[in-house]
């Protein structure tokens, strides 16, 4: 999912999220210029939670555990929001993938063309368009979600403390882990009031990930509008189901 949806999720799972929670809930997607891989940020949550649990009690340890709660709410293993969006939803075979892939299949060829990438990338791009279809409604519901993410990313002291622990866990320089956190608001849309702003940001992300690609922003905007129509009939059920399951996962991960 995209950042506003992840902020929504942590708010469903934690009564009063802190800035560390908000930073953590989007951290797995902070891969622009990061030395970490998607595997490390999305699928190694159990090890990260174990490391967080090993820290002494106290303000800094508690803060890092809040960050990890946010990260786990986002990821794939254990089953966070992205598991249900990307990997499995509705009891369908694994080949059908998660909700966003299921709903996005019909957009795959057009998504590849709009992004200027090979057709083999189309299903992935289409699933991103479905995920973006949740951003405007969840931002309109509470505009402070984007502001909380931006504030967390601008908190230099918070990022220094969090990146220090991440550096110890992953064996990477703390500065290299801090830079993508500070940069994140520059590469995402934290105030998605229009389809055009989402399309513009996604086009920029596509150029970063696929050097030489020339995305068509107008076509992307049209596809995002279509994606909003596609998810409208069952978006609420998807969100309700995911939030209940992610909430239970977090309770188990930190209270087992």
């Amino acid at each position: 999912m995209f950042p506003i949806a992840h902020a929504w999720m942590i708010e469903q799972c934690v009564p009063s999220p802190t800035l560390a929670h908000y930073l953590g809930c989007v951290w797995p997607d902070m891969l622009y210029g990061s030395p970490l891989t998607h595997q490390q940020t999305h699928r190694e949550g159990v090890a990260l939670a174990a490391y967080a649990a090993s820290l002494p009690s106290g303000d800094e340890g508690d803060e890092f555990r809040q960050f990890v709660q946010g990260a786990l709410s986002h990821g794939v293993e254990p089953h966070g929001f992205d598991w249900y969006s990307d990997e499995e939803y509705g009891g369908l075979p694994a080949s059908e993938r998660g909700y966003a892939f299921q709903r996005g299949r019909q957009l795959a060829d057009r998504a590849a063309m709009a992004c200027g990438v090979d057709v083999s990338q189309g299903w992935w791009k289409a699933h991103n368009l479905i995920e973006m279809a949740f951003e405007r409604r969840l931002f309109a519901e509470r505009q402070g979600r984007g502001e909380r993410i931006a504030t967390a990313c601008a908190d230099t002291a918070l990022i220094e403390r969090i990146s220090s622990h991440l550096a110890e866990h992953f064996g990477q320089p703390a500065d290299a882990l801090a830079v993508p956190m500070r940069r994140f608001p520059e590469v995402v849309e934290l105030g998605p009031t229009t389809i055009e702003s989402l399309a513009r940001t996604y086009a920029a992300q596509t150029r970063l990930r696929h050097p030489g690609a020339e995305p068509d922003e107008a076509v992307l905007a049209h596809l995002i509008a279509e994606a909003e129509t596609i998810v409208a009939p069952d978006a609420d059920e998807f969100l309700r189901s995911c939030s209940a399951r992610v909430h239970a996962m977090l309770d188990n991960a930190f209270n087992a």
Side-chain angles (χ1 to χ4, degrees), residues 15-54:
S16 299
T18 66
L19 287 182
H21 283 112
Y22 282 100
L23 186 66
C25 81
V26 291
W27 169 76
D29 282 346
M30 294 178 180
L31 294 175
Y32 297 96
S34 174
L36 300 181
T37 66
H38 188 276
Q39 168 74 26
Q40 289 173 304
T41 62
H42 285 74
R43 295 182 180 273
E44 297 182 9
V46 171
L48 188 62
Y51 169 77
S54 75

mmCIF file of all heavy atoms in Angstrom, residues 15-54:
data_model
loop_
_atom_site.group_PDB
_atom_site.id
_atom_site.type_symbol
_atom_site.label_atom_id
_atom_site.label_comp_id
_atom_site.label_asym_id
_atom_site.label_seq_id
_atom_site.Cartn_x
_atom_site.Cartn_y
_atom_site.Cartn_z
ATOM 1 N N PRO A 15 -3.643 2.726 19.863
ATOM 2 C CA PRO A 15 -4.586 3.757 20.299
ATOM 3 C C PRO A 15 -4.108 5.188 20.057
ATOM 4 O O PRO A 15 -4.868 6.025 19.588
ATOM 5 C CB PRO A 15 -4.750 3.467 21.798
ATOM 6 C CG PRO A 15 -4.395 2.028 21.949
ATOM 7 C CD PRO A 15 -3.335 1.749 20.925
ATOM 8 N N SER A 16 -2.847 5.474 20.386
ATOM 9 C CA SER A 16 -2.313 6.833 20.216
ATOM 10 C C SER A 16 -0.925 6.736 19.599
ATOM 11 O O SER A 16 0.085 6.774 20.314
ATOM 12 C CB SER A 16 -2.244 7.562 21.566
ATOM 13 O OG SER A 16 -3.531 7.692 22.138
ATOM 14 N N PRO A 17 -0.839 6.606 18.288
ATOM 15 C CA PRO A 17 0.463 6.410 17.648
ATOM 16 C C PRO A 17 1.411 7.585 17.897
ATOM 17 O O PRO A 17 1.006 8.748 17.882
ATOM 18 C CB PRO A 17 0.122 6.309 16.158
ATOM 19 C CG PRO A 17 -1.335 6.011 16.092
ATOM 20 C CD PRO A 17 -1.939 6.632 17.297
ATOM 21 N N THR A 18 2.672 7.246 18.134
ATOM 22 C CA THR A 18 3.712 8.252 18.284
ATOM 23 C C THR A 18 4.371 8.511 16.934
ATOM 24 O O THR A 18 4.114 7.811 15.945
ATOM 25 C CB THR A 18 4.782 7.756 19.266
ATOM 26 O OG1 THR A 18 5.441 6.615 18.677
ATOM 27 C CG2 THR A 18 4.162 7.343 20.606
ATOM 28 N N LEU A 19 5.271 9.487 16.897
ATOM 29 C CA LEU A 19 6.013 9.727 15.664
ATOM 30 C C LEU A 19 6.832 8.507 15.273
ATOM 31 O O LEU A 19 7.020 8.220 14.082
ATOM 32 C CB LEU A 19 6.919 10.950 15.815
ATOM 33 C CG LEU A 19 6.234 12.310 15.839
ATOM 34 C CD1 LEU A 19 7.283 13.421 15.933
ATOM 35 C CD2 LEU A 19 5.347 12.523 14.616
ATOM 36 N N ALA A 20 7.315 7.749 16.258
ATOM 37 C CA ALA A 20 8.069 6.532 15.953
ATOM 38 C C ALA A 20 7.178 5.512 15.239
ATOM 39 O O ALA A 20 7.633 4.812 14.323
ATOM 40 C CB ALA A 20 8.651 5.937 17.229
ATOM 41 N N HIS A 21 5.934 5.398 15.655
ATOM 42 C CA HIS A 21 4.993 4.510 14.964
ATOM 43 C C HIS A 21 4.807 4.949 13.512
ATOM 44 O O HIS A 21 4.820 4.117 12.593
ATOM 45 C CB HIS A 21 3.622 4.532 15.650
ATOM 46 C CG HIS A 21 3.545 3.744 16.918
ATOM 47 N ND1 HIS A 21 3.378 4.334 18.140
ATOM 48 C CD2 HIS A 21 3.599 2.407 17.155
ATOM 49 C CE1 HIS A 21 3.320 3.403 19.080
ATOM 50 N NE2 HIS A 21 3.445 2.223 18.502
ATOM 51 N N TYR A 22 4.612 6.254 13.307
ATOM 52 C CA TYR A 22 4.386 6.745 11.943
ATOM 53 C C TYR A 22 5.627 6.555 11.074
ATOM 54 O O TYR A 22 5.514 6.186 9.898
ATOM 55 C CB TYR A 22 3.970 8.214 11.955
ATOM 56 C CG TYR A 22 2.532 8.429 12.337
ATOM 57 C CD1 TYR A 22 2.186 8.818 13.622
ATOM 58 C CD2 TYR A 22 1.512 8.248 11.409
ATOM 59 C CE1 TYR A 22 0.857 9.021 13.984
ATOM 60 C CE2 TYR A 22 0.181 8.448 11.753
ATOM 61 C CZ TYR A 22 -0.140 8.829 13.044
ATOM 62 O OH TYR A 22 -1.459 9.015 13.394
ATOM 63 N N LEU A 23 6.800 6.784 11.636
ATOM 64 C CA LEU A 23 8.027 6.564 10.879
ATOM 65 C C LEU A 23 8.162 5.094 10.510
ATOM 66 O O LEU A 23 8.478 4.744 9.373
ATOM 67 C CB LEU A 23 9.240 7.018 11.694
ATOM 68 C CG LEU A 23 10.587 6.991 10.978
ATOM 69 C CD1 LEU A 23 10.616 8.001 9.838
ATOM 70 C CD2 LEU A 23 11.725 7.265 11.967
ATOM 71 N N GLY A 24 7.881 4.219 11.474
ATOM 72 C CA GLY A 24 7.996 2.784 11.225
ATOM 73 C C GLY A 24 7.007 2.267 10.210
ATOM 74 O O GLY A 24 7.336 1.392 9.405
ATOM 75 N N CYS A 25 5.809 2.832 10.194
ATOM 76 C CA CYS A 25 4.771 2.278 9.315
ATOM 77 C C CYS A 25 5.067 2.522 7.841
ATOM 78 O O CYS A 25 4.489 1.844 6.984
ATOM 79 C CB CYS A 25 3.386 2.784 9.700
ATOM 80 S SG CYS A 25 2.960 4.436 9.098
ATOM 81 N N VAL A 26 5.936 3.465 7.535
ATOM 82 C CA VAL A 26 6.324 3.693 6.137
ATOM 83 C C VAL A 26 7.776 3.313 5.860
ATOM 84 O O VAL A 26 8.190 3.253 4.702
ATOM 85 C CB VAL A 26 6.074 5.165 5.704
ATOM 86 C CG1 VAL A 26 4.586 5.449 5.631
ATOM 87 C CG2 VAL A 26 6.768 6.148 6.638
ATOM 88 N N TRP A 27 8.547 3.039 6.901
ATOM 89 C CA TRP A 27 9.969 2.731 6.733
ATOM 90 C C TRP A 27 10.255 1.602 5.736
ATOM 91 O O TRP A 27 11.206 1.714 4.939
ATOM 92 C CB TRP A 27 10.597 2.405 8.090
ATOM 93 C CG TRP A 27 11.967 1.823 7.978
ATOM 94 C CD1 TRP A 27 13.131 2.489 7.697
ATOM 95 C CD2 TRP A 27 12.325 0.447 8.105
ATOM 96 N NE1 TRP A 27 14.184 1.609 7.654
ATOM 97 C CE2 TRP A 27 13.716 0.354 7.902
ATOM 98 C CE3 TRP A 27 11.599 -0.719 8.379
ATOM 99 C CZ2 TRP A 27 14.394 -0.868 7.962
ATOM 100 C CZ3 TRP A 27 12.269 -1.919 8.440
ATOM 101 C CH2 TRP A 27 13.645 -1.992 8.231
ATOM 102 N N PRO A 28 9.473 0.506 5.695
ATOM 103 C CA PRO A 28 9.824 -0.551 4.735
ATOM 104 C C PRO A 28 9.873 -0.084 3.280
ATOM 105 O O PRO A 28 10.548 -0.721 2.458
ATOM 106 C CB PRO A 28 8.707 -1.588 4.946
ATOM 107 C CG PRO A 28 8.321 -1.415 6.387
ATOM 108 C CD PRO A 28 8.376 0.073 6.587
ATOM 109 N N ASP A 29 9.195 1.008 2.951
ATOM 110 C CA ASP A 29 9.204 1.509 1.580
ATOM 111 C C ASP A 29 10.271 2.574 1.337
ATOM 112 O O ASP A 29 10.350 3.143 0.249
ATOM 113 C CB ASP A 29 7.839 2.083 1.210
ATOM 114 C CG ASP A 29 6.824 0.991 0.878
ATOM 115 O OD1 ASP A 29 7.231 -0.163 0.673
ATOM 116 O OD2 ASP A 29 5.619 1.298 0.849
ATOM 117 N N MET A 30 11.096 2.832 2.337
ATOM 118 C CA MET A 30 12.154 3.846 2.187
ATOM 119 C C MET A 30 13.386 3.224 1.548
ATOM 120 O O MET A 30 14.459 3.160 2.151
ATOM 121 C CB MET A 30 12.481 4.471 3.544
ATOM 122 C CG MET A 30 11.348 5.273 4.133
ATOM 123 S SD MET A 30 11.781 5.945 5.756
ATOM 124 C CE MET A 30 10.285 6.812 6.183
ATOM 125 N N LEU A 31 13.230 2.766 0.319
ATOM 126 C CA LEU A 31 14.301 2.034 -0.358
ATOM 127 C C LEU A 31 15.013 2.876 -1.418
ATOM 128 O O LEU A 31 15.952 2.387 -2.050
ATOM 129 C CB LEU A 31 13.733 0.761 -1.006
ATOM 130 C CG LEU A 31 13.219 -0.284 -0.014
ATOM 131 C CD1 LEU A 31 12.567 -1.447 -0.753
ATOM 132 C CD2 LEU A 31 14.350 -0.796 0.868
ATOM 133 N N TYR A 32 14.584 4.111 -1.611
ATOM 134 C CA TYR A 32 15.255 4.972 -2.581
ATOM 135 C C TYR A 32 16.616 5.395 -2.005
ATOM 136 O O TYR A 32 16.696 6.212 -1.104
ATOM 137 C CB TYR A 32 14.408 6.209 -2.892
ATOM 138 C CG TYR A 32 13.095 5.877 -3.537
ATOM 139 C CD1 TYR A 32 11.933 5.770 -2.776
ATOM 140 C CD2 TYR A 32 13.004 5.649 -4.907
ATOM 141 C CE1 TYR A 32 10.719 5.462 -3.370
ATOM 142 C CE2 TYR A 32 11.783 5.337 -5.512
ATOM 143 C CZ TYR A 32 10.659 5.247 -4.729
ATOM 144 O OH TYR A 32 9.453 4.949 -5.312
ATOM 145 N N GLY A 33 17.697 4.790 -2.520
ATOM 146 C CA GLY A 33 19.027 5.088 -2.029
ATOM 147 C C GLY A 33 19.415 4.340 -0.767
ATOM 148 O O GLY A 33 20.479 4.585 -0.199
ATOM 149 N N SER A 34 18.593 3.413 -0.323
ATOM 150 C CA SER A 34 18.889 2.651 0.898
ATOM 151 C C SER A 34 19.788 1.456 0.586
ATOM 152 O O SER A 34 19.665 0.836 -0.475
ATOM 153 C CB SER A 34 17.596 2.149 1.532
ATOM 154 O OG SER A 34 17.864 1.294 2.626
ATOM 155 N N PRO A 35 20.677 1.080 1.521
ATOM 156 C CA PRO A 35 21.460 -0.142 1.341
ATOM 157 C C PRO A 35 20.670 -1.408 1.646
ATOM 158 O O PRO A 35 21.157 -2.514 1.401
ATOM 159 C CB PRO A 35 22.611 0.034 2.339
ATOM 160 C CG PRO A 35 22.022 0.866 3.439
ATOM 161 C CD PRO A 35 21.076 1.817 2.748
ATOM 162 N N LEU A 36 19.453 -1.259 2.173
ATOM 163 C CA LEU A 36 18.634 -2.415 2.513
ATOM 164 C C LEU A 36 17.799 -2.849 1.311
ATOM 165 O O LEU A 36 17.479 -2.059 0.434
ATOM 166 C CB LEU A 36 17.722 -2.095 3.697
ATOM 167 C CG LEU A 36 18.417 -1.688 4.994
ATOM 168 C CD1 LEU A 36 17.389 -1.420 6.083
ATOM 169 C CD2 LEU A 36 19.405 -2.757 5.457
ATOM 170 N N THR A 37 17.431 -4.122 1.310
ATOM 171 C CA THR A 37 16.625 -4.686 0.235
ATOM 172 C C THR A 37 15.157 -4.793 0.657
ATOM 173 O O THR A 37 14.827 -4.715 1.845
ATOM 174 C CB THR A 37 17.130 -6.085 -0.142
ATOM 175 O OG1 THR A 37 16.912 -6.963 0.985
ATOM 176 C CG2 THR A 37 18.614 -6.061 -0.499
ATOM 177 N N HIS A 38 14.305 -5.021 -0.321
ATOM 178 C CA HIS A 38 12.882 -5.266 -0.038
ATOM 179 C C HIS A 38 12.732 -6.488 0.874
ATOM 180 O O HIS A 38 11.894 -6.492 1.787
ATOM 181 C CB HIS A 38 12.145 -5.491 -1.359
ATOM 182 C CG HIS A 38 10.658 -5.564 -1.233
ATOM 183 N ND1 HIS A 38 9.997 -6.737 -0.893
ATOM 184 C CD2 HIS A 38 9.685 -4.620 -1.387
ATOM 185 C CE1 HIS A 38 8.697 -6.505 -0.854
ATOM 186 N NE2 HIS A 38 8.481 -5.239 -1.154
ATOM 187 N N GLN A 39 13.531 -7.505 0.660
ATOM 188 C CA GLN A 39 13.507 -8.695 1.519
ATOM 189 C C GLN A 39 13.770 -8.307 2.974
ATOM 190 O O GLN A 39 13.064 -8.750 3.886
ATOM 191 C CB GLN A 39 14.571 -9.692 1.040
ATOM 192 C CG GLN A 39 14.855 -10.853 1.999
ATOM 193 C CD GLN A 39 13.785 -11.909 2.038
ATOM 194 O OE1 GLN A 39 13.057 -12.070 1.063
ATOM 195 N NE2 GLN A 39 13.703 -12.640 3.139
ATOM 196 N N GLN A 40 14.783 -7.483 3.207
ATOM 197 C CA GLN A 40 15.139 -7.117 4.575
ATOM 198 C C GLN A 40 14.069 -6.269 5.245
ATOM 199 O O GLN A 40 13.800 -6.438 6.443
ATOM 200 C CB GLN A 40 16.477 -6.368 4.569
ATOM 201 C CG GLN A 40 17.668 -7.255 4.264
ATOM 202 C CD GLN A 40 18.948 -6.460 4.105
ATOM 203 O OE1 GLN A 40 19.023 -5.537 3.282
ATOM 204 N NE2 GLN A 40 19.945 -6.790 4.894
ATOM 205 N N THR A 41 13.465 -5.359 4.515
ATOM 206 C CA THR A 41 12.511 -4.445 5.146
ATOM 207 C C THR A 41 11.104 -5.007 5.240
ATOM 208 O O THR A 41 10.344 -4.616 6.134
ATOM 209 C CB THR A 41 12.452 -3.103 4.394
ATOM 210 O OG1 THR A 41 12.000 -3.334 3.048
ATOM 211 C CG2 THR A 41 13.816 -2.431 4.366
ATOM 212 N N HIS A 42 10.755 -5.924 4.342
ATOM 213 C CA HIS A 42 9.389 -6.428 4.298
ATOM 214 C C HIS A 42 9.219 -7.851 4.847
ATOM 215 O O HIS A 42 8.112 -8.233 5.218
ATOM 216 C CB HIS A 42 8.849 -6.415 2.863
ATOM 217 C CG HIS A 42 8.478 -5.054 2.363
ATOM 218 N ND1 HIS A 42 9.410 -4.110 2.014
ATOM 219 C CD2 HIS A 42 7.259 -4.474 2.159
ATOM 220 C CE1 HIS A 42 8.791 -3.003 1.605
ATOM 221 N NE2 HIS A 42 7.489 -3.200 1.683
ATOM 222 N N ARG A 43 10.299 -8.645 4.854
ATOM 223 C CA ARG A 43 10.148 -10.066 5.169
ATOM 224 C C ARG A 43 10.991 -10.546 6.355
ATOM 225 O O ARG A 43 11.011 -11.732 6.648
ATOM 226 C CB ARG A 43 10.482 -10.914 3.937
ATOM 227 C CG ARG A 43 9.507 -10.713 2.784
ATOM 228 C CD ARG A 43 9.832 -11.587 1.589
ATOM 229 N NE ARG A 43 8.906 -11.400 0.490
ATOM 230 C CZ ARG A 43 7.753 -12.055 0.335
ATOM 231 N NH1 ARG A 43 7.408 -12.978 1.226
ATOM 232 N NH2 ARG A 43 6.964 -11.819 -0.696
ATOM 233 N N GLU A 44 11.669 -9.648 7.018
ATOM 234 C CA GLU A 44 12.494 -10.056 8.155
ATOM 235 C C GLU A 44 12.028 -9.396 9.446
ATOM 236 O O GLU A 44 12.809 -9.067 10.329
ATOM 237 C CB GLU A 44 13.966 -9.750 7.855
ATOM 238 C CG GLU A 44 14.491 -10.536 6.653
ATOM 239 C CD GLU A 44 15.963 -10.307 6.354
ATOM 240 O OE1 GLU A 44 16.657 -9.653 7.172
ATOM 241 O OE2 GLU A 44 16.430 -10.791 5.305
ATOM 242 N N GLY A 45 10.710 -9.226 9.552
ATOM 243 C CA GLY A 45 10.141 -8.556 10.707
ATOM 244 C C GLY A 45 10.285 -9.319 12.008
ATOM 245 O O GLY A 45 10.407 -8.717 13.074
ATOM 246 N N VAL A 46 10.281 -10.648 11.939
ATOM 247 C CA VAL A 46 10.416 -11.443 13.166
ATOM 248 C C VAL A 46 11.768 -11.179 13.809
ATOM 249 O O VAL A 46 11.877 -10.979 15.028
ATOM 250 C CB VAL A 46 10.229 -12.946 12.860
ATOM 251 C CG1 VAL A 46 10.583 -13.783 14.079
ATOM 252 C CG2 VAL A 46 8.790 -13.222 12.428
ATOM 253 N N ALA A 47 12.830 -11.164 13.003
ATOM 254 C CA ALA A 47 14.166 -10.904 13.532
ATOM 255 C C ALA A 47 14.270 -9.478 14.070
ATOM 256 O O ALA A 47 14.902 -9.235 15.109
ATOM 257 C CB ALA A 47 15.210 -11.147 12.450
ATOM 258 N N LEU A 48 13.661 -8.525 13.377
ATOM 259 C CA LEU A 48 13.703 -7.140 13.840
ATOM 260 C C LEU A 48 12.947 -6.985 15.152
ATOM 261 O O LEU A 48 13.401 -6.275 16.063
ATOM 262 C CB LEU A 48 13.108 -6.222 12.771
ATOM 263 C CG LEU A 48 13.252 -4.718 13.018
ATOM 264 C CD1 LEU A 48 14.711 -4.307 13.073
ATOM 265 C CD2 LEU A 48 12.521 -3.935 11.923
ATOM 266 N N ALA A 49 11.817 -7.666 15.284
ATOM 267 C CA ALA A 49 11.055 -7.613 16.532
ATOM 268 C C ALA A 49 11.834 -8.241 17.679
ATOM 269 O O ALA A 49 11.794 -7.752 18.811
ATOM 270 C CB ALA A 49 9.713 -8.309 16.352
ATOM 271 N N ALA A 50 12.547 -9.326 17.392
ATOM 272 C CA ALA A 50 13.361 -9.972 18.426
ATOM 273 C C ALA A 50 14.474 -9.036 18.888
ATOM 274 O O ALA A 50 14.780 -8.956 20.088
ATOM 275 C CB ALA A 50 13.940 -11.275 17.900
ATOM 276 N N TYR A 51 15.099 -8.356 17.947
ATOM 277 C CA TYR A 51 16.132 -7.383 18.316
ATOM 278 C C TYR A 51 15.526 -6.278 19.181
ATOM 279 O O TYR A 51 16.094 -5.898 20.216
ATOM 280 C CB TYR A 51 16.776 -6.785 17.066
ATOM 281 C CG TYR A 51 17.644 -5.591 17.370
ATOM 282 C CD1 TYR A 51 18.917 -5.753 17.904
ATOM 283 C CD2 TYR A 51 17.168 -4.293 17.159
ATOM 284 C CE1 TYR A 51 19.703 -4.646 18.217
ATOM 285 C CE2 TYR A 51 17.941 -3.190 17.466
ATOM 286 C CZ TYR A 51 19.211 -3.375 17.993
ATOM 287 O OH TYR A 51 19.984 -2.275 18.307
ATOM 288 N N ALA A 52 14.371 -5.752 18.772
ATOM 289 C CA ALA A 52 13.724 -4.689 19.544
ATOM 290 C C ALA A 52 13.390 -5.159 20.952
ATOM 291 O O ALA A 52 13.565 -4.417 21.932
ATOM 292 C CB ALA A 52 12.458 -4.217 18.827
ATOM 293 N N ALA A 53 12.930 -6.410 21.071
ATOM 294 C CA ALA A 53 12.572 -6.947 22.384
ATOM 295 C C ALA A 53 13.793 -7.101 23.288
ATOM 296 O O ALA A 53 13.664 -7.093 24.516
ATOM 297 C CB ALA A 53 11.874 -8.296 22.219
ATOM 298 N N SER A 54 14.964 -7.252 22.678
ATOM 299 C CA SER A 54 16.191 -7.441 23.465
ATOM 300 C C SER A 54 16.718 -6.139 24.055
ATOM 301 O O SER A 54 17.595 -6.168 24.937
ATOM 302 C CB SER A 54 17.279 -8.060 22.586
ATOM 303 O OG SER A 54 17.827 -7.110 21.678
#
